[in-house]
Amino acid sequence: MDDDQTFTKKQRFLQAVKDFFSRALDVNGRTNRVDYGWTILFLVTIVAFFMLLSLALLLSMLGYSKLTVVVNLVWIVSSVFLLFLATLILVPFLSLLLRRLRDVGLRGRGTLVLMLLWLGSNFLYYYVVIKPLYAIYQSPLSTSFVDPIYAFLGFVFFSSLVFLVVPFFPANALTIRKPNTLLRFFLRSR
């Protein structure tokens, strides 16, 4: 895309979505904040639509509906489509995120280590904290009314805020000036 062209918001949005899918396997290069923001808005809108559709169908299944078989079938199809959609956008989203994080100042290997640490901490938190709590929650002596899985989902959300906030930093915001062995593993030097 040429930098000297002026785009309307609609054209910029459509170009960002087009670039998202056309550069699905491209982890090199750059992605600016505006295109990243438009793409995230697009993805959140699409996923939220299908999640709300699945939730509405699930709630109508739980109600007393005469069309229970049809609603069940539509809910299953909607849920499978949501899973398919999530799988379909995972690789392009990861390449978009890697391009943007590199643009902000993170190095590729440092980003990989941070993502593996994030995944590892989520699995560790689930197996060390949530699973024992879930066993207590399901026991007949439990007086808890809150499912521990909500604590896990909260942990995943708050731990992933780094990957939601950092890409909106300006280009080269996390680069370092003085060489430091540990920091140079994660961050680019100027």
Side-chain angles (χ1 to χ4, degrees):
M1 167 180 357
D2 292 1
D3 290 335
D4 59 347
Q5 291 180 344
T6 56
F7 291 102
T8 64
K9 287 183 181 182
K10 181 179 178 182
Q11 290 170 330
R12 186 69 178 211
F13 173 77
L14 295 174
Q15 185 64 38
V17 172
K18 179 183 165 193
D19 287 346
F20 172 72
F21 289 109
S22 66
R23 297 177 66 192
L25 300 176
D26 178 21
V27 294
N28 298 321
R30 295 177 173 255
T31 300
N32 62 33
R33 287 189 293 175
V34 175
D35 289 347
Y36 183 81
W38 282 120
T39 305
I40 294 299
L41 179 67
F42 169 74
L43 295 175
V44 166
T45 304
I46 295 296
V47 170
F49 172 76
F50 284 104
M51 287 179 73
L52 288 174
L53 179 66
S54 293
L55 181 65
L57 293 171
L58 179 64
L59 290 175
S60 66
M61 276 180 9
L62 296 175
Y64 298 102
S65 174
K66 294 179 181 177
L67 303 173
T68 306
V69 175
V70 174
V71 170
N72 286 346
L73 183 63
V74 171
W75 180 74
I76 291 171
V77 168
S78 172
S79 298
V80 168
F81 184 74
L82 184 62
L83 184 62
F84 174 73
L85 182 68
T87 306
L88 183 70
I89 64 174
L90 180 66
V91 172
F93 173 72
L94 287 177
S95 66
L96 175 79
L97 181 64
L98 285 174
R99 284 193 310 266
R100 186 64 204 141
L101 288 175
R102 191 178 314 104
D103 193 34
V104 168
L106 289 168
R107 298 183 88 159
R109 60 182 178 222
T111 304
L112 179 65
V113 168
L114 288 175
M115 286 184 175
L116 291 175
L117 284 172
W118 175 77
L119 281 173
S121 69
N122 286 329
F123 282 114
L124 186 67
Y125 184 75
Y126 178 77
Y127 284 108
V128 171
V129 176
I130 298 301
K131 255 192 147 184
L133 282 176
Y134 207 68
I136 294 168
Y137 172 75
Q138 289 182 330
S139 78
L141 301 175
S142 173
T143 59
S144 175
F145 296 108
V146 178
D147 193 338
I149 201 70
Y150 295 123
F152 175 68
L153 292 175
F155 178 78
V156 169
F157 174 75
F158 286 114
S159 65
S160 58
L161 278 178
V162 170
F163 295 113
L164 295 174
V165 172
V166 171
F168 286 103
F169 287 1
N172 298 320
L174 297 180
T175 54
I176 56 173
R177 292 182 188 189
K178 295 181 180 179
N180 180 325
T181 307
L182 180 63
L183 288 179
R184 285 196 61 209
F185 181 79
F186 293 102
L187 305 174
R188 284 187 290 118
S189 57
R190 289 186 188 189

